[in-house]
Amino acid sequence: MLRKRPKLQHVRFVLPNSPVQPVTLNGGMPMPSWFDIRTLDDISGGEDEVGLRKSADALSALINAEEAGSQEHLDGQGVPSERVVVGGFSQMVAPYLTSHARNIPIFLGHGTADQVVKYEYGQRSAKFLRAGGENDGGAGVGCGKWRDEGGRPAGVWAESYDGMAHSACMEEIEHVAEYLEKVIPAQAS
């Protein structure tokens, strides 16, 4: 879908899969997961910090391989770091954001009818990622609101999708495409 857009023909999409591992919320049964999920009701703590770090390291290794040109099909031609975008559904991006959020433009989309990750949590995440400056008492990451900084996008672009459950919709896909067109535009030859 995104690949067919004329303004994204230059984009190489790498779609990593999470490992299969036991997940507490799933009764300890193995399922695809970047880290253990212990609860969906309490976001005040109890995260799987070890799993988050391990996943962040795996994603960083993938990004480093893209930058070095050692990733499959790159034939030694690296991708500049400012042209690498990490994206994903649900928990996929959380490990990366834990250590890199301040330096990257962020898009967050969340359905108002999400039955898995409460809509309130998505709103709190966007607020936390934006906050952090002196005016916010230092609580948060400090990305700020979506803006243009000398031709480069920065900050957090957050969208809500009325009635959307824990899934995606065409309006969100369109917003993701617009985001990608802004953060990794085609380069002049």
Side-chain angles (χ1 to χ4, degrees):
M1 209 177 280
L2 294 174
R3 184 62 150 139
K4 293 180 182 178
R5 292 179 70 100
K7 290 184 178 181
L8 295 178
Q9 292 298 304
H10 63 286
V11 174
R12 171 181 147 83
F13 289 92
V14 178
L15 308 168
N17 292 310
S18 64
V20 174
Q21 59 188 351
V23 174
T24 302
L25 191 68
N26 194 32
M29 299 296 295
M31 63 182 278
S33 181
W34 288 99
F35 52 91
D36 189 19
I37 306 168
R38 297 180 179 135
T39 180
L40 294 175
D41 296 322
D42 180 14
I43 62 170
S44 62
E47 290 88 10
D48 175 16
E49 291 182 38
V50 172
L52 278 165
R53 271 192 235 106
K54 183 178 177 184
S55 292
D57 290 346
L59 291 172
S60 290
L62 178 65
I63 291 165
N64 291 340
E66 289 289 320
E67 292 172 349
S70 60
Q71 187 70 5
E72 188 177 359
H73 304 296
L74 286 178
D75 301 324
Q77 295 189 359
V79 178
S81 61
E82 68 273 8
R83 299 196 58 82
V84 173
V85 175
V86 175
F89 180 77
S90 194
Q91 70 168 187
M92 193 279 176
V93 181
Y96 190 73
L97 287 178
T98 61
S99 58
H100 294 84
R102 185 166 295 170
N103 304 321
I104 57 175
I106 297 169
F107 175 83
L108 290 176
H110 202 136
T112 60
D114 191 329
Q115 73 284 17
V116 177
V117 179
K118 293 179 182 177
Y119 177 69
E120 166 198 355
Y121 296 170
Q123 295 300 293
R124 286 172 62 179
S125 295
K127 183 177 179 181
F128 181 78
L129 287 166
R130 286 180 176 140
E134 292 176 20
N135 296 336
D136 299 315
V141 175
C143 296
K145 292 184 178 180
W146 186 254
R147 63 197 179 281
D148 184 294
E149 288 186 350
R152 296 195 59 195
V156 179
W157 174 358
E159 292 285 347
S160 298
Y161 302 99
D162 285 336
M164 186 175 80
H166 195 69
S167 61
C169 64
M170 288 309 298
E171 183 181 11
E172 183 179 29
I173 300 299
E174 181 63 29
H175 286 145
V176 168
E178 290 172 19
Y179 165 82
L180 290 172
E181 289 169 358
K182 290 178 188 312
V183 299
I184 48 172
Q187 294 176 318
S189 304

